[in-house]
Amino acid sequence: MRTNRVAAVCAALALPAVTATAANAAVPGVAAVSASCRQADPYKVHGASAVTIRSKASSNSRAVGVLYRAQKFMVRKKTKTGSWVYITDKKTGVTGWVSGAYVYRTVYMCLD
């Protein structure tokens, strides 16, 4: 008898099955959210207005350029600890290392 009560309680708590098809379940504006979710540049410079691009993964190495907060860049690789990031500046084409303390991956929530 106790197992019947447990089964009844579990059945009452069960979520209803989704029966809508993809065609009639679409919500206006979702396409715009999904399109904006596919960001081409997931990395950004944070915590500084500019960071120095260096020839090696060391603050003592030669400076080869400057990466400003608003500039777009591509991350090529990282050190194992993530303390340095090898980038290519999309505007100037300069490649080099920047401190991982200032480069963060931007996280987007996609709803599709």
Side-chain angles (χ1 to χ4, degrees), residues 7 24 33:
N24 64 11
V33 171

mmCIF file of all heavy atoms in Angstrom, residues 7 24 33:
data_model
loop_
_atom_site.group_PDB
_atom_site.id
_atom_site.type_symbol
_atom_site.label_atom_id
_atom_site.label_comp_id
_atom_site.label_asym_id
_atom_site.label_seq_id
_atom_site.Cartn_x
_atom_site.Cartn_y
_atom_site.Cartn_z
ATOM 1 N N ALA A 7 4.130 5.871 -5.609
ATOM 2 C CA ALA A 7 3.924 5.935 -7.059
ATOM 3 C C ALA A 7 2.956 7.055 -7.406
ATOM 4 O O ALA A 7 3.152 7.778 -8.380
ATOM 5 C CB ALA A 7 3.412 4.602 -7.579
ATOM 6 N N ASN A 24 5.609 24.879 -34.617
ATOM 7 C CA ASN A 24 4.657 25.699 -33.870
ATOM 8 C C ASN A 24 5.148 26.051 -32.477
ATOM 9 O O ASN A 24 4.465 26.736 -31.739
ATOM 10 C CB ASN A 24 3.276 25.035 -33.816
ATOM 11 C CG ASN A 24 3.280 23.727 -33.056
ATOM 12 O OD1 ASN A 24 4.246 23.392 -32.392
ATOM 13 N ND2 ASN A 24 2.186 22.983 -33.166
ATOM 14 N N VAL A 33 18.014 36.082 -31.150
ATOM 15 C CA VAL A 33 18.860 35.713 -30.016
ATOM 16 C C VAL A 33 19.860 34.658 -30.448
ATOM 17 O O VAL A 33 21.032 34.734 -30.125
ATOM 18 C CB VAL A 33 17.996 35.199 -28.837
ATOM 19 C CG1 VAL A 33 18.871 34.609 -27.760
ATOM 20 C CG2 VAL A 33 17.147 36.322 -28.287
#
